[in-house]
Amino acid sequence: MEKQPIAITGMGIVSAIGLDVQENEHSLLNGKHGIRLYTQKDKLIHKEVLVGEINKSNQELYEELNLNPDEAFTRSTLLGLIAAKESINSAGINLNDGFRTGFISATTVGGMDATEKFYFNFLESDENLKFIPTQNCGIHAEQIAEILGIKDYITTISTACSSAANAIMLGARMIKAGLLDRVIAGGTDSLSAFTINGFSSLMIYSDEHCTPFDENRKGLNLGEAAAYIVLESEELAKNKKTIGFLSGYGNANDAFHQTASSEDGEGAYLAIQKALKISGLNPSEIDYINAHGTATPNNDLSEGKSLQRIFGELPDFSSTKAFTGHTLAAAGAVEAVFSLFALKNQTVFPNLNFQNKIEDLGIIPQTETKHKEIKNVLSNSLGFGGNCSSLIFSKY
């Protein structure tokens, strides 16, 4: 396939380590994580749970966005709107300029945070009935697009933890196909008792700070976040300042298990291969890998094996999930922004909390902030159901 990178002209993010791009970048560069005890404990099986929680209430988000408090917006939608607006402002685009604009957003939680809060009084009171339609995952994208004024193309991607990476990938493909001129692509997910309890039931939720790629890893910490990047066609972006390029992408499914990755990392291996082929790059040209690295026993071993199959001797790699928690559908977009930070600052971010290498792999992530020349960053997002996606971000 002809090498045809897609320009990235804007980005926006809100996460446990920052309420905007600048704060997130500062936290990463200074090794400041956002993992703490969850404050919303009402419906949790285990009351002491470490999460990456954003330090703003829904009421504060409503006020910041100047939204009518009588309208129903879930936390995922509120966070998504914050990040999407920042990405558009960052890109300096006018959505009324006649160019075809798409909004492709990912979520897995959808409106679950509102549903679990109001479920038991839906039949007793009409006060919160307005939240019933917000349970649908697609509502968040429709609401955000309506507020932003995007009408040309709106869709939601929900493929577990690879969702936002797939949203970005779909956006790039639609631009290349000539169907859209630009796309705001990314994802949003809020914390909810439903997801925390679900991961706890799978026995992959750590009661300590997560330790990606460590021999003694006990599982993940969940987080909440929203992040979007603005993708533009080469023609549209030629006279604009770009912050990077999406040079490659790939998706594959290892069809192995409902929640576990295959033992040899076949899905991730195939996704990385596809991304490299589209980018026209050799494995030796990847300078940094932002790994999926959830700190679960299965993922880190499987992903590590896929990386060894591709690279042999690995370039610098790390997982940033010990900073933010695993933000599920938003993770691919959060780490797309982090990959762009790596290109901007020529910096490999540290894999926090690492102590001992996985004996079956023998690979050691970068554990300290490292400055080096970085031209190409590979970012992996691997989801339940074997849905594996890889993105390559480049600096030209």
Side-chain angles (χ1 to χ4, degrees):
M1 183 177 292
E2 182 183 355
K3 186 176 179 181
Q4 185 186 351
I6 299 293
I8 301 168
T9 59
M11 57 184 173
I13 184 171
V14 55
S15 78
I17 62 170
L19 300 177
D20 56 25
V21 165
Q22 185 176 0
E23 288 185 7
N24 275 269
E25 185 175 16
H26 182 269
S27 293
L28 277 178
L29 289 170
N30 289 278
K32 180 184 176 183
H33 71 78
I35 306 301
R36 59 189 175 94
L37 288 174
Y38 193 29
T39 61
Q40 309 298 316
K41 303 178 182 180
D42 294 351
K43 297 178 176 62
L44 296 182
I45 296 173
H46 306 290
K47 299 303 181 184
E48 301 297 313
V49 177
L50 289 167
V51 297
E53 185 178 11
I54 294 168
N55 191 26
K56 274 204 171 184
S57 68
N58 285 5
Q59 181 179 343
E60 289 174 314
L61 293 171
Y62 263 88
E63 291 171 356
E64 180 178 339
L65 292 163
N66 197 28
L67 296 174
N68 183 347
D70 293 328
E71 293 187 49
F73 297 100
T74 67
R75 187 168 179 82
S76 293
T77 302
L78 296 170
L79 296 176
L81 192 51
I82 293 280
K85 280 190 168 185
E86 185 183 21
S87 72
I88 291 169
N89 291 335
S90 169
I93 57 178
N94 175 8
L95 293 175
N96 296 314
D97 58 10
F99 290 103
R100 297 165 300 170
T101 302
F103 183 67
I104 304 177
S105 187
T107 191
T108 58
V109 175
M112 180 55 70
D113 65 301
T115 299
E116 67 188 16
K117 185 176 181 180
F118 301 125
Y119 177 79
F120 290 104
N121 68 11
F122 277 151
L123 297 179
E124 299 171 4
S125 168
D126 293 343
E127 181 182 0
N128 298 307
L129 290 180
K130 61 188 178 184
F131 282 98
I132 289 178
T134 67
Q135 165 68 17
N136 186 320
C137 280
I139 294 298
H140 88 282
E142 294 179 14
Q143 289 182 316
I144 293 172
E146 182 177 6
I147 292 170
L148 296 177
I150 298 173
K151 300 177 181 178
D152 295 311
Y153 184 80
I154 306 157
T155 196
T156 297
I157 301 288
S158 189
T159 56
C161 308
S162 61
S163 300
N166 287 333
I168 292 169
M169 192 182 316
L170 176 59
R173 293 181 65 191
M174 293 191 74
I175 290 172
K176 285 187 178 183
L179 298 172
L180 292 170
D181 300 306
R182 64 182 167 222
V183 176
I184 294 91
T188 179
D189 258 343
S190 63
L191 287 164
S192 76
F194 179 83
T195 48
I196 293 172
N197 290 339
F199 278 95
S200 295
S201 72
L202 292 173
M203 295 185 289
I204 56 173
Y205 205 113
S206 178
D207 58 356
E208 300 174 352
H209 286 259
C210 69
T211 57
F213 294 104
D214 191 277
E215 171 70 14
N216 300 312
R217 63 202 182 282
K218 298 173 67 177
L220 50 72
N221 307 134
L222 287 179
E224 59 183 358
Y228 295 90
I229 60 175
V230 178
L231 306 172
E232 299 199 52
S233 66
E234 185 178 4
E235 179 67 21
L236 202 58
K238 66 181 180 181
N239 295 319
K240 297 182 67 173
K241 182 180 179 181
T242 59
I243 54 179
F245 293 85
L246 177 64
S247 58
Y249 47 80
N251 172 268
N253 196 302
D254 57 17
F256 176 74
H257 187 269
Q258 286 181 317
T259 59
S261 300
S262 59
E263 295 176 0
D264 60 357
E266 182 69 8
Y269 171 78
L270 292 172
I272 297 168
Q273 271 195 330
K274 290 180 179 181
L276 287 168
K277 183 177 180 180
I278 287 175
S279 71
L281 296 170
N282 295 314
S284 61
E285 294 177 277
I286 298 297
D287 303 300
Y288 168 45
I289 302 169
N290 183 298
H292 188 57
T294 58
T296 62
N298 171 255
N299 176 87
D300 292 7
L301 182 61
S302 176
E303 184 179 12
K305 287 185 176 179
S306 73
L307 294 175
Q308 287 180 320
R309 290 173 65 188
I310 292 285
F311 294 96
E313 185 175 341
L314 271 60
D316 290 323
F317 77 98
S318 65
S319 167
T320 51
K321 286 186 172 62
F323 282 92
T324 61
H326 186 359
T327 58
L328 301 179
V334 168
E335 290 162 32
V337 171
F338 290 176
S339 296
L340 293 167
F341 288 161
L343 289 171
K344 174 188 173 184
N345 294 284
Q346 297 289 279
T347 299
V348 175
F349 301 115
N351 191 105
L352 300 180
N353 308 325
F354 177 86
Q355 291 185 327
N356 302 296
K357 65 183 179 183
I358 299 173
E359 292 301 326
D360 289 343
L361 291 175
I363 59 176
I364 299 176
Q366 181 62 33
T367 58
E368 301 289 339
T369 301
K370 178 179 179 180
H371 300 288
K372 59 175 282 190
E373 183 179 15
I374 300 176
K375 294 181 180 179
N376 302 294
V377 178
L378 170 70
S379 183
N380 287 337
S381 296
L382 315 177
F384 279 178
N387 196 295
C388 302
S389 297
S390 296
L391 305 175
I392 297 176
F393 299 94
S394 299
K395 184 174 186 176
Y396 291 104

